[in-house]
Amino acid sequence: MSFNLDIAGRRALVTGGTKGIGAAVVAALLDAGVRVMTTARSVPETPIEGVEFFVTDVSTAAGCANLTNAVLEQFGGVDFIVNVVGGSTAPAGGFAVLDDDEWWAALNQNLMAAVRIDRALLPSMITQGCGVIIHVTSIQRELPLAESTTAYAAAKAALSTYSKSLSKEVSPKGIRVVRVSPGWVATEASVAMAERLALQAGTDYEGGKQIIMDSLGGIPLGRPARTEEVADLIAFLVSARASSITGTEYVIDGGTVPTV
Ligand SMILES: NC(=O)c1ccc[n+]([C@@H]2O[C@H](COP(=O)([O-])OP(=O)(O)OC[C@H]3O[C@@H](n4cnc5c(N)ncnc54)[C@H](OP(=O)(O)O)[C@@H]3O)[C@@H](O)[C@H]2O)c1
C-alpha cells in the first residue's frame, strides 16, 4: 500500500509559517509538492525557498484583508487554509490583570484571524466545490492554566466552537473543517522558555522541561511533541486520505489531557 498524500500542485495558505509549528507545516506541504503562501509580521532572516511570503499582522482586519487579496491574486483561489497563528502575550496574574486590551488581543490573534481569513477565502472554495480548513487550537481550550492563560484558553475554546459550526455549514458544500489541538510542542520559543525556567530554578534544560510538564499535570509520553509530528498530522488531514474527516478535533499531546 502506498501512502502518497497526492496533494502535489494544490494551493495552500499557512499563517505563521516562519517559526514553530507553522514552519514545519510549510516544510511538510512543500515536500509534498504543494504551492504554499505563508505569513509572519517580520521577514525571516533566511528566506524560505519555494514559498510565497507575505508580511502581515493577521490579528488585524486590514492585515487579513491584504493577505486574502494577495492569495486570490497570486493563486487565483486556494485549496487548503491552515490557520496556525495563535498564542498568548498576556502577563501572569489571573483575571485581574486581563483588561479589555488583553482580552481583545487574545481574541483577535486566536479567533478573529481565522474567522476573517476563512470568511474571505471560503467563497472561492465554495465555487470550486472543495477545500480543507485546518484550525490549530490547543489542549488549553479544555485544560486552561488559570494563572497565565485564561484569555488564550477561552479564545481557543471559541475557535473550536466556531470551527465545529463552520464545518456543519460548509461540509455539505465539499469543504472539510478540522481542528488540530496540540499539547506542549518543542518549538524554538518553548525550548527557550524551558531554558529560562531552568536558569531561574538553578537546574538544567531537562529540569526546565520537567517544570513545564509538571505545570500541565504531567505528559504520560514524557516529552513535548515535535513540530514535525504536528505537521505530519496536518498534511494527512488536508489530503484526500482524510476525505471523510470533518467537524472533529485531533489532539496531539502525548497523553496530557487527563480525561477521556
Ligand atoms: N508551541 C506549543 O506548545 C503550542 C501548544 C498548543 C497550541 N499551540 C498553537 O500552535 C500555533 C503555533 O504556535 P507556535 O508555538 O508554533 O508559534 P511560534 O513558534 O510562536 O510561531 C508563531 C509564528 O506565527 C507568526 N505570527 C505570530 N503572530 C502573528 C500575527 N499576528 N500575524 C502574522 N504572523 C504571526 C510568527 O512570526 P512573527 O513573530 O514574525 O509574526 C511565527 O512565524 C498557535 O496557534 C498556538 O496557540 C502551540
Side-chain angles (χ1 to χ4, degrees):
M1 186 183 81
S2 131
F3 217 82
N4 183 353
L5 292 176
D6 202 16
I7 51 179
R10 300 300 179 92
R11 303 152 299 176
L13 168 64
V14 179
T15 64
T18 60
K19 293 177 209 148
I21 294 168
V25 172
V26 167
L29 294 182
L30 275 183
D31 194 47
V34 174
R35 291 171 65 195
V36 180
M37 180 182 285
T38 196
T39 68
R41 291 162 300 182
S42 49
V43 180
E45 279 164 28
T46 322
I48 320 168
E49 216 172 299
V51 170
E52 305 278 348
F53 180 73
F54 195 84
V55 183
T56 192
D57 181 350
V58 298
S59 67
T60 68
C64 290
N66 293 339
L67 171 66
T68 51
N69 286 338
V71 170
L72 293 175
E73 240 166 61
Q74 292 188 39
F75 284 173
V78 69
D79 300 298
F80 312 140
I81 307 171
V82 188
N83 288 286
V84 181
V85 165
S88 176
T89 50
F95 78 91
V97 300
L98 294 175
D99 60 17
D100 281 8
D101 288 346
E102 293 293 352
W103 274 101
W104 284 122
L107 288 164
N108 274 321
Q109 190 176 8
N110 293 288
L111 172 68
M112 293 311 295
V115 168
R116 290 169 175 144
I117 290 168
D118 297 348
R119 192 173 54 202
L121 296 178
L122 262 164
S124 75
M125 283 185 163
I126 290 170
T127 302
Q128 71 198 14
C130 62
V132 184
I133 297 177
I134 303 287
H135 294 123
V136 176
T137 60
S138 166
I139 58 166
Q140 288 204 36
R141 76 157 186 86
E142 56 187 321
L143 196 68
L145 300 177
E147 255 305 295
S148 48
T149 59
T150 292
Y152 167 75
K156 289 293 195 185
L159 176 65
S160 293
T161 305
Y162 155 71
S163 185
K164 180 67 183 174
S165 189
L166 185 68
S167 77
K168 289 184 178 176
E169 182 180 348
V170 301
S171 294
K173 301 179 166 118
I175 295 130
R176 295 188 293 112
V177 184
V178 186
R179 284 158 283 152
V180 168
S181 177
W184 181 28
V185 182
T187 59
E188 301 91 319
S190 70
V191 166
M193 182 164 86
E195 286 168 351
R196 257 194 329 274
L197 290 171
L199 200 66
Q200 283 162 13
T203 177
D204 59 5
Y205 175 62
E206 285 307 311
K209 267 170 66 178
Q210 197 55 52
I211 294 170
I212 295 179
M213 292 197 283
D214 290 347
S215 76
L216 295 167
I219 301 182
L221 211 59
R223 66 167 177 86
R226 291 185 280 275
T227 55
E228 297 78 10
E229 292 172 323
V230 183
D232 285 352
L233 173 60
I234 290 174
F236 167 75
L237 288 171
V238 298
S239 80
R241 293 269 171 175
S243 53
S244 69
I245 295 174
T246 191
T248 194
E249 177 180 76
Y250 281 77
V251 175
I252 176 162
D253 71 343
T256 307
V257 173
T259 48
V260 175

